Amino acid sequence: MSKDYDVVIAGGGIIGCAIAYYLRKLTDYTVLVIEKGRIGSEASSAAAGMLGAQAELNEAGPLYTMARESRILFPELSRELKEICGIDIEFIDKGLFKTAGDESEVLKLKRLIDFHNNNGQPAHWVAGPELLKMEPRLSDRVAGAMFLPKDGQVNPVQLTRAFAESASRLGAVFLDFTEVAGFDFSQSGIDVQTSAGMYYGEKVVLASGVWTGKLAVQSGLHMPMFPVKGECLSLTFLEPVITSTVIADECYLVPKRGGRLVVGATMETGSYDRKVRAKGVLELLSKASAVLPGILHGEWEKAWTGFRPQTPDGLPYMGKHPCHKDLYIAAGHFRNGILLSPLTGRWMAELLEGKLQEETLREFAPDRFAYEKN
Ligand code: FAD
């Protein structure tokens, strides 16, 4: 294996893999991805796979705009990745219901519908009886729901694999079970110290999820990040119990292929605990069964945890390092890294090639907290 590359990416989660894919698709750069564990084994395989550009974001701003632009890429991306590597990312385009349990939630959701419509995005109210015709297994206590027809979903494990496999078929090299330990910036380009020796990148991208802040410190950059632990579980049914994704009070239900249902997710800020706790399972099942009572007849499949990479203002870090011209950062996608992966990959590839207007990433600047007082 060569030790010199045009671009070295630290981290093989969905963000690192998407950047590798777009780099190989759009440029001639040689690309090495270095991953400390298995490719895609952290947050990217814990996700539910919702493409909640409207469900997750309800304030106008750079993230709302980016999320919508990224969501648009999925139908074509799904065909493209299948063609290149044969992996089906299980893109499902059946929309998403956000349910209301009482009158105050009804009012809140109706205001949100106005917000989305005023921003040119489709959203409409579905009253209780009509909702039960569309999703007959939902509880008749649900007062109604906001329907977001464009918020689809994918299988996040398959999407990460598809980015990695397609990047690899287009020529990217993947080095797993290898940890990036540090950097030498003393000459042009960057020497990357790893547990398997030294590699050289003309340019280096830090895409190491919630651990990116620790690597950034080695480059002198204060880039605060913290984990938000999430627990999810899955059940199987002989036939699908719902057809669209349903978000209810602090839980969501995402119907997958073959009668699987993913139920998520707890939120615990600051925790690196990898264990699934009984409390989390109880919380998820009781919230989910309030909206879909039949869920308790499902067959238990499994439960898991992951760490959402969060930043103080909820915006990801994407862009150039303020002092080292060959160092780039793409991390902190919190609850929406699956949704944001295609556009992050494309923007970062264009930035590395010098083809992206830096203005595009202004609000995501990695150094926006660098000068804050401790
Ligand atoms: P990761 O997937 O964590 O990848 C970072 C990688 O870097 C890891 O594999 C790690 O091993 C590696 N690494 C770290 N340090 C080093 C080092 N020193 N050297 C080498 N490698 C290193 N998003 C959505 O869009 N929709 C959802 O429905 C959704 N649901 C979620 C549910 C849960 C429970 C969780 C936890 C997250 C969810 N997310 C969802 C968020 C999404 O999963 C994340 O935003 C996304 O996976 C972040 O990707 P990443 O590549 O930045 O991080």
Side-chain angles (χ1 to χ4, degrees), residues 155-175:
N155 179 326
V157 176
Q158 296 287 88
L159 177 57
T160 310
R161 276 186 56 222
F163 273 136
E165 184 59 32
S166 299
S168 162
R169 292 201 186 190
L170 296 176
V173 177
F174 285 78
L175 186 60

Side-chain angles (χ1 to χ4, degrees), residues 308-329:
R308 304 172 184 91
Q310 177 60 309
T311 63
D313 59 2
L315 298 182
Y317 298 117
M318 291 184 290
K320 272 188 185 174
H321 191 284
C323 308
H324 298 292
K325 66 175 179 42
D326 301 320
L327 190 60
Y328 295 75
I329 286 126

